[in-house]
């Protein structure tokens, strides 16, 4: 039985058992999902019964058990259809969030985040490279303790009300508000200790030199047994130590032990006060989050302040306002694809050297790349982000039928990044000391107005009509400064004697004006129909293509509300279906529809460069550019069993994305290198299954269970031109028709030549010998070259999901969430460099010792060798593709609430808890982490590990105090 069937069978048997148990309970038990529960939709709210679209509601109590700095991190394993993957285990690193698969090649695939009705920024503002997968995330500006609940709009009919920004779905975040009554205070505090789930490990010094000596002999066997270690005076035969004993020895500093840190602290504190009277309600919150990285040089800190204030002026008008302030500081280090990164250098530097000189200073003379520990401590990279989000609105209820909402919102994000490479570091040596500064200032103004009218024509028919206008304006200012020739002790660019970069670029920004409407019909109180329409006009596009329209329609029929329906077992049966179109303009630059050029000096005169032969930078205009569009069809059902004690949901979706932007190459005579074109198409097709159940419910005992699973298939169906040319990204990723986005392309390695007799004559004549890698000759021409490359893996999973349980016994509570991902692959680029087929002069991972020798001809790895044979063995191939499927205990928490009789202080409650994040992980992946991506939040080049820092296991303790 395959993995999919095993997972589904296990889940089915478990919930059949739950159903049998639930059938025995009293019939007045509360339901898992109240049919009258209020759900937030675009620009409004609805009862769950009337929702016609695919919307998942996630309560904050199910999210805040994980220690994380950003809201998207908490959504991992929260609902069907939503896959959340970290890019790196570094503090403050971002996440890849994909709702119902990948919908774009060059535009953003992240959903739109809307907080209290207003879209917010969520992209990475990083101005520098070198951080790899550690790129940041503006969602960390939101205090997670302020979140009340989250709704995920998954299908087009739910998200189409947001038009050109909603092709990847919408995440609606509702923050906490004050309520009428006495003032309530809360304090939540957590302290934890982090360690890597799995560390990189390297060969001992003797093992490494044994491998290196063998590589020398395999490369030049006619020279007899030669010793690299002897030639470099690492082994001294006159010392009395035999070469065999030398190979068993270890010496020098363990670089990774110097770079990694143990038991690094994590601290969270959040406090709030809320309350109000008939006129005024308020919510006031403050949080502090501090995290030390498990790799030296990493620190993260963030403080937030939130004020939500509502003032009722009279029976008609109410003023709603909010202010959120955030201050974030991250001490970063180089990471991933960077030879000056602490982890990279600690792995690739040959072992046996010392980090420090005898006088206690850093050794800066004997390294191939750089001193790993000095990279972590002396190279300074600091990013600071200060954010302000202020909102002012007026809610008007003119009558029971007519209401209006007006909202103005200003978001201002000030991002500063400074980097210092001192004179005595390897990275700063070439420039005699270098200092960089990158500044980004984002100003976003949003205003919208909606008018809603409801009319009940009879007991059997009711309609609601909502219409609105929205204006969006974003401006960005870029500042970049770089200087070199900086003396030791200096810390900023103004200390440099030579300016290499100085630029200031205030963007003209981009603007979008929109109008939208929604008509909701209620017929016989069990048939519901919604139709939405939105028009967006964007300054990014040429005049003729500036305005686009996004319609949707959806319906739901509650069969169980019919008088003839028997509710003995099935207490709720709801069918729903919908269709809609969405847009994506994130991949469009402000001037992509216009030609660009570069200024430069021609002699002593200024000039304009429109020829790529004289520099970079130019692109052709394409006035025909339009938005990317995604049409989505969704059909599903909701079933409630035993008075809704068990709820099942199923959704099928089909997403067709077209007019996708790709970069096309222009002829040189056109005076430009490339241009953008709406030339690609793809689809996503999937199934989502969710089960929620109350297994036990009583005064002293409770057990709730949730199981979610999502299957998704993605395929590119069109690329540029009649004979589409594949597009390569990253190291091994290729976009091609008929393949999913993120497919890996290379040679198919089918083993190792165990003896020379196995080698075809043509390859033997090339120099291939026993112990070298055997590749599949796909076209059968007897030669192995680029024509034999095939697709060898994919970064997208076949299915993913979670299994969450919460238990309660008297004053004890226990919760656990297991997440799983199956069918995805990882391209392990670390092995291409630190594996046995990498350059022998690079350090090697500890598990690379089972290599071929005449005495070990059944080895799992090829022989160590230099030159041509090393390059042959190290080609991009299936050797470096590994299964990245995993099962992880994402969080587990045990709590105890003191009885009120012990406290005897009004309504005060005090809870203590012990918890763990990422406590246990099962995976066959050989690297530290099966989820990370060396290319950060890249769309296409995903699933690549290049010395990427893995996730942490966190043990923590805390209290929850409310009074």
């Amino acid at each position: 039985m395959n993995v999919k069937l095993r997972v589904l069978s296990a889940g089915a048997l478990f919930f059949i058992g739950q159903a049998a148990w639930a059938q025995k309970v009293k019939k007045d038990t509360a339901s898992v999902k109240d049919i009258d529960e209020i759900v937030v939709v675009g620009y409004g709210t609805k009862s769950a019964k009337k929702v016609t679209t695919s919307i998942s509601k996630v309560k904050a109590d199910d999210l805040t058990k994980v220690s994380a700095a950003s809201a998207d991190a908490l959504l991992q394993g929260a609902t069907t259809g939503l896959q959340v993957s970290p890019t790196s285990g570094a503090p403050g690193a971002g996440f890849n969030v994909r709702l119902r698969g990948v919908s774009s090649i060059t535009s953003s695939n992240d959903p739109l985040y809307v907080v209290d009705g207003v879209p917010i920024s969520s992209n990475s503002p990083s101005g520098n490279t070198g951080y790899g997968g550690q790129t940041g995330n503006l969602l960390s500006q939101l205090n997670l303790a302020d979140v009340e609940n989250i709704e995920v709009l998954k299908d087009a009919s739910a998200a189409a009300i947001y038009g050109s920004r909603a092709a990847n779905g919408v995440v609606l975040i509702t923050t906490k508000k004050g309520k009428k009554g006495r003032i309530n205070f809360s304090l939540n505090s957590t302290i934890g200790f982090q360690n890597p789930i799995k560390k990189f490990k390297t060969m001992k010094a003797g093992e490494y030199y044994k491998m290196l000596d063998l590589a020398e002999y395999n490369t030049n066997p006619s020279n007899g047994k030669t010793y690299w270690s002897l030639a470099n005076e690492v082994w001294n035969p006159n010392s009395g130590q035999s070469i065999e004993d030398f190979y068993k020895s270890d010496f020098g500093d363990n670089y990774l032990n110097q770079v990694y840190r143990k038991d690094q602290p994590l601290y969270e504190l959040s406090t709030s006060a809320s309350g109000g009277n008939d006129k005024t309600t308020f919510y006031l919150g403050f949080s502090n989050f501090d995290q030390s990285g498990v790799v030296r040089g990493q620190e993260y800190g963030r403080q937030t302040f939130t004020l939500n204030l509502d003032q009722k002026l009279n029976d008609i008008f109410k003023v709603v306002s909010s202010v959120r302030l955030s201050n974030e500081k991250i001490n970063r280090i180089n990471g991933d694809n960077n030879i000056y990164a602490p982890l990279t250098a600690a792995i690739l530097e040959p072992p046996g050297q010392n980090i420090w000189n005898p006088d206690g200073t850093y050794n800066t003379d004997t390294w191939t790349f750089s001193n790993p520990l000095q990279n972590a401590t002396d190279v300074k990279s600091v990013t600071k982000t200060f954010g302000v989000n202020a909102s002012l609105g007026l809610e008007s209820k003119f009558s029971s039928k007519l209401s209006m909402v007006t909202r103005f919102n200003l978001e201002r994000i000030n991002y500063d990044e400074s980097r210092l490479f001192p004179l005595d570091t390897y990275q700063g040596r070439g420039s005699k000391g270098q200092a960089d500064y990158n500044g980004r200032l984002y100003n976003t103004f949003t205003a919208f107005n909606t008018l809603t009218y409801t009319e009940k024509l009879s007991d059997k028919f009711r309609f609601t009509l909502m219409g609105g206008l929205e204006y969006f304006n974003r401006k960005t200012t870029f500042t970049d400064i770089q200087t070199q020739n900086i003396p030791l002790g200096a810390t900023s660019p103004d200390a440099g004697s030579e300016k290499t970069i100085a630029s200031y670029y205030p963007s003209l920004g981009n603007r979008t004006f929109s109008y939208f409407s929604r008509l909701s019909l209620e017929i016989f109180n069990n048939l519901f129909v919604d139709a939405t329409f939105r028009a967006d006009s964007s300054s990014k596009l040429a005049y003729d293509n500036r305005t686009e329209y996004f319609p949707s329609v959806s319906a739901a029929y509650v069969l169980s509300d019919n008088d003839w329906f028997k509710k003995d077992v099935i207490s709720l049966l709801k069918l729903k279906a919908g269709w809609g179109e969405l847009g994506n303009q994130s991949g469009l630059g402000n001037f992509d529809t216009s030609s660009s050029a570069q200024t430069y000096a021609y002699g002593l005169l200024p000039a304009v460069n429109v020829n790529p032969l004289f520099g970079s930078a130019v692109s052709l205009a394409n006035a025909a550019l339009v938005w990317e569009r995604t049409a989505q069809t969704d059909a599903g059902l909701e079933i409630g069993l035993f008075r809704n004690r068990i709820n099942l949901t199923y959704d099928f979706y089909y997403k067709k994305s077209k007019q996708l932007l790709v970069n096309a190459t222009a002829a040189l005579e056109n005076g430009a290198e490339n241009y953008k074109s709406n030339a690609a198409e793809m689809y996503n097709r999937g199934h989502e299954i969710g089960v929620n159940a109350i297994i036990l419910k009583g005064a002293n005992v409770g057990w709730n269970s949730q199981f979610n699973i999502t299957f998704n298939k993605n395929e590119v169906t069109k690329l540029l031109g009649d004979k589409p040319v594949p597009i390569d990204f990253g190291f091994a990723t290729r976009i091609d028709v008929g393949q999913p986005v993120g497919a890996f392309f290379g040679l198919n390695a089918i083993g190792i030549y165990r003896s020379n007799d196995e080698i075809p004559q043509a390859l033997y004549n090339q120099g291939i010998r026993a112990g070298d890698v055997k590749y599949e000759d796909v076209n059968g021409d007897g030669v192995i070259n680029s024509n034999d490359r095939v697709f060898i893996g994919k970064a997208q999973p076949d299915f993913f999901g979670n299994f969450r349980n919460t238990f309660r016994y008297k004053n004890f509570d226990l919760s656990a969430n297991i997440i799983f991902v199956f069918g995805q692959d990882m391209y392990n680029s670390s092995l291409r460099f630190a594996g046995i087929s990498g350059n022998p002069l690079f350090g090697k991972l500890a598990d690379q010792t089972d290599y071929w020798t005449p005495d070990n001809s059944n080895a799992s790895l090829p022989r160590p060798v230099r030159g041509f044979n090393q390059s042959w063995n190290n080609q991009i191939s299936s050797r470096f593709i590994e299964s990245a499927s995993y099962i992880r205990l994402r969080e587990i928490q045990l709590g105890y609430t003191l009885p009120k009789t012990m406290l005897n202080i009004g309504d005060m409650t005090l809870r203590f808890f012990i918890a763990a994040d990422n406590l246990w992980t099962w995976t066959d992946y050989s690297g530290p982490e099966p989820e990370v991506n060396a290319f950060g939040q890249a769309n296409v080049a995903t699933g690549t590990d290049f010395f990427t820092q893995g996730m942490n296991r966190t043990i923590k303790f805390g209290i929850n105090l409310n009074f």
Side-chain angles (χ1 to χ4, degrees), residues 12-260:
L13 288 172
F14 180 80
F15 284 103
I16 287 172
Q18 290 183 331
W21 181 277
Q23 197 168 12
K24 301 177 181 179
V25 302
K26 295 180 180 179
K27 297 204 174 185
D28 58 353
T29 310
S31 65
V32 175
K33 180 179 179 182
D34 188 346
I35 200 68
D36 293 322
E37 181 183 21
I38 298 301
V39 176
V40 178
V41 297
Y43 303 98
T45 60
K46 280 190 173 186
S47 69
K49 175 183 177 180
K50 300 177 182 179
V51 172
T52 62
T53 56
S54 183
I55 299 177
S56 293
K57 183 170 184 176
V58 184
K59 295 183 179 180
D61 290 344
D62 293 333
L63 299 178
T64 53
K65 293 182 175 63
V66 177
S67 294
S70 61
D72 50 0
L74 300 185
L75 290 171
Q76 189 177 39
T79 184
T80 57
L82 189 67
Q83 185 187 12
V84 180
S85 303
T87 59
S88 168
F95 285 76
N96 281 315
V97 181
R98 302 293 179 257
L99 185 56
R100 293 185 167 181
V102 176
S103 298
S104 181
I105 295 175
T106 59
S107 298
S108 172
N109 278 292
D110 289 337
L112 172 69
Y113 294 89
V114 179
V115 177
D116 294 332
V118 179
I120 63 170
S121 300
S122 61
N123 60 303
S124 171
S126 179
N128 228 318
T129 58
Y131 299 140
Q134 306 175 48
T135 49
N137 188 347
L138 288 178
L139 283 177
S140 60
Q141 307 299 301
L142 180 66
N143 177 17
L144 305 179
D146 296 336
V147 175
E148 183 72 31
N149 54 59
I150 297 175
E151 272 86 6
V152 182
L153 311 186
K154 295 188 287 187
D155 66 356
S157 48
I161 196 72
Y162 289 101
S164 64
R165 304 175 68 183
N168 305 312
V170 182
V171 177
L172 302 178
I173 300 174
T174 303
T175 62
K176 296 175 181 177
K177 309 290 184 183
K179 298 179 181 179
K180 176 184 174 181
R182 68 178 183 83
I183 298 178
N184 296 294
F185 297 91
S186 72
L187 184 147
N188 302 288
S189 181
T190 301
I191 185 170
F193 302 93
Q194 311 161 92
N195 287 287
I197 295 176
K198 182 180 179 181
K199 297 179 180 180
F200 286 107
K201 293 182 179 179
T202 52
M203 286 183 179
K204 296 179 181 179
E207 291 177 324
Y208 168 78
Y209 282 104
K210 179 181 179 181
M211 177 276 304
L212 186 57
D213 288 351
L214 185 58
E216 286 297 302
Y217 173 75
N218 287 335
T219 304
N220 299 294
S222 60
N223 295 339
K225 188 70 173 179
T226 58
Y227 298 105
W228 182 269
S229 51
L230 175 62
N232 286 269
E233 300 180 353
V234 180
W235 170 57
N236 183 1
N238 298 323
S239 66
Q241 183 187 38
S242 68
I243 188 65
E244 289 76 15
D245 288 339
F246 172 74
Y247 288 155
K248 296 176 183 178
S249 68
D250 194 16
F251 49 91
D253 290 326
N254 186 308
Y255 317 141
L256 284 170
N257 284 350
Q258 299 293 328
V259 169
Y260 279 118

Side-chain angles (χ1 to χ4, degrees), residues 454-623:
T454 299
E455 182 65 66
K456 183 177 181 181
L457 300 180
S458 68
D459 292 338
K460 299 180 180 180
F461 187 82
R462 172 189 177 117
F463 74 88
T464 299
L465 180 62
M466 184 272 291
L469 303 172
E470 185 174 75
Y471 176 74
F472 170 89
N473 188 343
R474 171 171 293 167
K475 294 184 178 181
T476 306
T477 300
F478 302 86
T479 304
D480 297 300
I481 300 172
Q482 182 183 99
T483 59
Q484 58 187 25
N485 290 333
I486 295 181
L488 282 174
T491 59
S492 60
D494 57 11
S497 62
E498 182 181 344
K499 178 183 67 178
T500 56
I501 295 176
S503 65
Y504 174 78
Y505 175 56
S507 168
L508 295 178
N510 64 85
R511 298 165 301 284
T512 304
F513 180 76
S514 312
Y515 60 86
F516 50 88
S517 63
R518 177 171 53 226
L519 174 64
S520 300
L521 304 178
E522 301 176 25
I523 305 170
F524 298 113
N525 201 36
N526 66 350
L527 176 60
F528 308 96
V529 180
D530 283 338
T532 67
F533 180 82
R534 179 169 177 128
D536 285 331
S537 182
S538 173
S539 64
K540 291 184 176 181
L541 295 166
Y543 181 80
D544 291 340
N545 296 323
R546 184 159 294 177
T547 302
E548 192 59 275
Y549 306 98
F550 304 96
S552 78
V553 62
S554 58
Y557 181 38
V558 186
L559 276 76
S560 54
D561 275 3
N562 288 300
D563 294 337
W564 49 264
F565 192 92
K566 295 182 179 181
K567 297 186 178 181
D568 296 338
V569 177
I570 300 178
S571 47
L572 170 67
L573 180 57
K574 179 179 176 181
L575 306 177
K576 57 185 180 181
W579 170 90
E581 287 195 321
L582 305 165
N584 191 344
Q585 60 167 317
S586 61
L588 290 168
N590 292 346
F591 307 105
D592 281 344
T593 57
S594 304
S595 294
S596 63
Q598 178 186 23
T599 59
Y600 76 111
Y602 184 77
L604 299 177
L605 300 175
V608 175
N609 171 16
V610 293
N611 190 327
L613 296 177
F614 291 99
S616 59
V618 293
S619 64
L620 285 176
N622 186 357

Side-chain angles (χ1 to χ4, degrees), residues 572-826:
L572 170 67
L573 180 57
K574 179 179 176 181
L575 306 177
K576 57 185 180 181
W579 170 90
E581 287 195 321
L582 305 165
N584 191 344
Q585 60 167 317
S586 61
L588 290 168
N590 292 346
F591 307 105
D592 281 344
T593 57
S594 304
S595 294
S596 63
Q598 178 186 23
T599 59
Y600 76 111
Y602 184 77
L604 299 177
L605 300 175
V608 175
N609 171 16
V610 293
N611 190 327
L613 296 177
F614 291 99
S616 59
V618 293
S619 64
L620 285 176
N622 186 357
L625 285 177
V626 296
W627 278 307
E628 298 183 344
R629 293 183 70 92
T630 295
Q632 185 176 169
T633 302
D634 186 277
L637 57 85
E638 300 176 16
I639 301 176
L641 302 176
F642 313 113
R643 298 182 61 84
N644 291 349
R645 192 178 180 92
I646 296 179
N647 275 266
L648 301 95
T649 62
Y650 168 77
D651 280 282
F652 167 80
Y653 60 86
Y654 181 82
K655 293 170 58 177
K656 179 68 174 181
S657 300
K658 59 184 181 180
Q659 300 172 186
L660 301 182
L661 293 167
V662 293
N663 291 320
T665 302
L668 289 180
E669 56 265 26
N670 290 321
E673 292 179 343
N674 56 65
Y675 63 96
K676 287 186 176 180
S677 176
N678 297 101
E681 295 182 2
M682 74 173 72
Y683 75 82
N684 287 272
R685 182 179 66 239
H687 308 268
E688 299 171 352
I689 302 170
V691 184
N692 289 271
I694 293 178
I695 304 173
L696 294 174
K697 184 175 178 67
N700 294 319
V701 65
W703 179 8
N704 291 7
S705 189
Q706 175 200 68
F707 177 79
N708 292 321
I709 189 167
T710 300
F711 300 86
N712 184 75
K713 176 179 173 56
N714 170 267
E715 183 178 319
V716 177
T717 57
K718 181 181 179 182
L719 284 176
L720 184 68
D722 296 331
K723 295 182 179 180
V725 177
I727 307 173
D728 293 326
F729 292 85
F731 300 139
T733 303
R734 168 165 285 194
I735 298 290
D736 201 357
V737 171
Q739 296 294 325
V741 172
F744 299 119
F745 191 71
L747 297 175
N748 184 28
I750 54 177
I752 298 170
Y753 290 112
R754 305 297 172 182
S755 68
N756 289 335
D757 295 337
E758 300 178 18
I759 304 172
Q761 188 62 45
L763 296 181
Y764 189 87
N765 293 340
Q766 283 185 255
I768 306 304
R769 297 292 183 268
D772 290 336
V773 176
K774 181 180 182 180
Y775 299 108
E776 182 182 4
D777 185 4
V778 175
N779 59 10
D781 62 359
V783 178
I784 301 298
N785 54 31
S786 60
N787 295 326
D788 294 303
R789 291 180 298 168
V790 293
F791 285 95
I792 52 179
K794 60 185 179 62
Q796 295 192 43
D798 293 328
F799 64 91
F800 59 90
N802 79 295
F803 182 39
R804 183 192 300 272
N805 284 274
T806 58
F807 308 90
R808 177 179 54 84
Y809 178 71
K810 294 185 177 180
N811 287 42
F812 288 93
D813 63 87
L814 174 66
S815 64
N817 189 25
I818 296 173
I819 62 175
F820 56 87
V821 177
F822 281 87
Q824 69 179 9
D825 298 314
M826 179 78 77

